[in-house]
Amino acid sequence: MSIIKEVAAEAGVSVMTVYNVINGNYSKVSEKKIKLILKLLEEKNYVPNLTAKSLAIKSTKIIGIIVPVGDDDYNFFKDPYLSELIGVIEHLLRKKGYYAMVRSVIHAADISTLLKTWNMDGAIFLLPYYDHIAHQILAQNDLPMVFWDSYSDNPDIFSVGIDDYKGGYIATKYLVSLGHTRIAFAGSIGEDGVKCVVNQRFKGYKDALREANIEFHESFVYPFAPVYDMGIVAGREISKRKGEITAVLATADVMAIGIMEGARLNGYLLPNDLSIVGFDNIEASIFCSPKLTTVSQNIPKKAECAIDLLMKQINDEPTPEKRPVLDVEIIERQSAIPLR
């Protein structure tokens, strides 16, 4: 006799009821019977056949977490922001009974092959690098998808983002409130992908300067990629202008930490010689010295919002807002101080 039949007999229910409990369909089963069936299954070391289960209910319970391939095959997984983000998403998906499959893909055709090969229930596209092919991805794949920080004008896209403009604005206003008027900006401004996010932060930075009647200096802009190594380069460059630049807004915490290291290597004492504000509020921002003042985008809340959007699509539920934009705030620590 199979384990399913044994459990059904011992619990005094039908085989179908046992299958319903295994598949999470509790609507027609009493709480007492659910507990008993689960207890019996555990005692008998029952392990469900996921392949057979997925064929039966036409669901693999797999959610793709799609990550871009960087320039020169840059390993994005070194980025603590992405690592923290994937950890939060995997945890939330696991609590909902889904499995996360993480894969680095960049081309639309490869993405379609991946999604169809594994018959995924849905996908989350991390980092804002997919806007230029979002229309292809949507056209080629009929499954629930959510894009991260998208600025695509495609009306069919589901995306979760933050108020990037406000982030750049309040960070600059904060530095101005500390007496700084010669504030640098570090981030990869430009046309596509992640640059759209940074462009909004850059616009907030410039508007805050203008409102404070502070002159904008093109030479104070360091358009480097928001990664640690380029932060070191930016920090070294900024520290060559001692006294000319007193503060800097970096568009990623990991870049801000790199800037601190680059400035320190050139003899700067931080934060006395240079105030720094980062962006993201990753966990690493409290481990560096000085502890990093940063713009928080509440990664757990953002991930929860993205998964909620995805689940509503999977369950065919109404989605009142397809592109929610979450708020940001300044987290004050030690890396930015009043100008002396």
Side-chain angles (χ1 to χ4, degrees):
M1 182 182 292
S2 71
I3 291 177
I4 301 296
K5 290 181 178 179
E6 288 179 13
V7 170
E10 292 180 32
V13 298
S14 68
V15 169
M16 182 56 69
T17 297
V18 177
Y19 275 119
N20 282 336
V21 171
I22 291 172
N23 292 327
N25 300 323
Y26 299 153
S27 59
K28 296 182 179 180
V29 189
S30 70
E31 185 176 351
K32 183 178 179 181
K33 287 294 185 182
I34 292 170
K35 289 180 179 178
L36 175 59
I37 291 168
L38 291 176
K39 181 174 180 292
L40 290 170
L41 288 169
E42 184 178 0
E43 288 176 353
K44 297 177 185 299
N45 297 315
Y46 174 75
V47 178
N49 184 325
L50 294 180
T51 301
K53 181 179 175 182
S54 68
L55 289 173
I57 63 177
K58 297 182 180 179
S59 170
T60 61
K61 291 293 183 179
I62 296 174
I63 302 297
I65 301 178
I66 315 300
V67 181
V69 178
D71 295 336
D72 300 320
D73 211 23
Y74 173 77
N75 180 7
F76 276 105
F77 294 96
K78 294 192 302 181
D79 188 327
Y81 167 74
L82 184 63
S83 299
E84 187 173 330
L85 179 56
I86 290 174
V88 172
I89 290 175
E90 190 280 331
H91 174 72
L92 292 172
L93 286 174
R94 180 159 33 91
K95 286 175 65 176
K96 291 182 178 294
Y98 285 83
Y99 299 86
M101 177 180 287
V102 183
R103 181 74 174 180
S104 293
V105 192
I106 191 61
H107 300 295
D110 295 335
I111 290 170
S112 296
T113 299
L114 173 70
L115 298 179
K116 291 170 183 175
T117 298
W118 288 94
N119 191 28
M120 294 179 181
D121 286 358
I124 300 175
F125 292 83
L126 295 187
L127 302 183
Y129 286 83
Y130 293 99
D131 277 1
H132 67 295
I133 56 171
H135 65 286
Q136 292 176 262
I137 296 171
L138 291 169
Q140 295 171 4
N141 301 280
D142 183 22
L143 83 163
M145 291 180 278
V146 174
F147 291 76
W148 198 262
D149 289 328
S150 174
Y151 278 89
S152 169
D153 58 4
N154 190 314
D156 297 323
I157 203 168
F158 284 80
S159 171
V160 59
I162 61 168
D163 194 338
D164 290 297
Y165 171 84
K166 181 180 177 180
Y169 178 82
I170 62 174
T172 308
K173 291 280 283 187
Y174 176 74
L175 288 169
V176 170
S177 74
L178 296 177
H180 296 279
T181 59
R182 304 182 72 77
I183 305 167
F185 181 92
S188 52
I189 55 177
E191 297 298 325
D192 299 318
V194 70
K195 296 173 184 177
C196 294
V197 169
V198 177
N199 284 352
Q200 289 297 310
R201 298 175 187 178
F202 184 50
K203 187 175 184 299
Y205 157 82
K206 290 201 295 183
D207 284 354
L209 291 180
R210 187 180 65 254
E211 286 184 15
N213 294 315
I214 297 173
E215 183 181 358
F216 166 70
H217 296 275
E218 194 75 47
S219 65
F220 286 7
V221 178
Y222 293 83
F224 300 146
V227 297
Y228 178 75
D229 292 345
M230 296 311 297
I232 292 178
V233 174
R236 284 186 174 275
E237 291 296 316
I238 291 169
S239 59
K240 291 176 183 177
R241 306 168 70 170
K242 190 164 188 177
E244 188 179 359
I245 293 173
T246 66
V248 57
L249 165 59
T251 56
D253 286 344
V254 67
M255 186 185 200
I257 294 169
I259 289 172
M260 289 197 289
E261 178 64 13
R264 193 178 288 114
L265 289 172
N266 275 15
Y268 264 36
L269 180 64
L270 301 174
N272 293 17
D273 295 329
L274 185 69
S275 285
I276 301 174
V277 174
F279 207 112
D280 291 333
N281 194 31
I282 60 174
E283 192 171 359
S285 62
I286 64 173
F287 298 141
C288 60
S289 180
K291 297 182 189 300
L292 186 64
T293 293
T294 183
V295 177
S296 173
Q297 61 165 299
N298 198 334
I299 293 172
K301 183 178 179 181
K302 194 174 177 183
E304 188 175 339
C305 186
I307 291 173
D308 183 59
L309 272 180
L310 192 66
M311 292 300 131
K312 278 183 166 58
Q313 293 179 72
I314 290 174
N315 297 320
D316 200 24
E317 297 174 3
T319 50
E321 193 172 11
K322 293 175 68 172
R323 305 181 73 155
V325 176
L326 306 184
D327 200 9
V328 293
E329 63 177 333
I330 287 282
I331 303 297
E332 297 183 61
R333 295 196 180 101
Q334 302 168 344
S335 64
I337 61 174
L339 184 64
R340 299 179 179 182

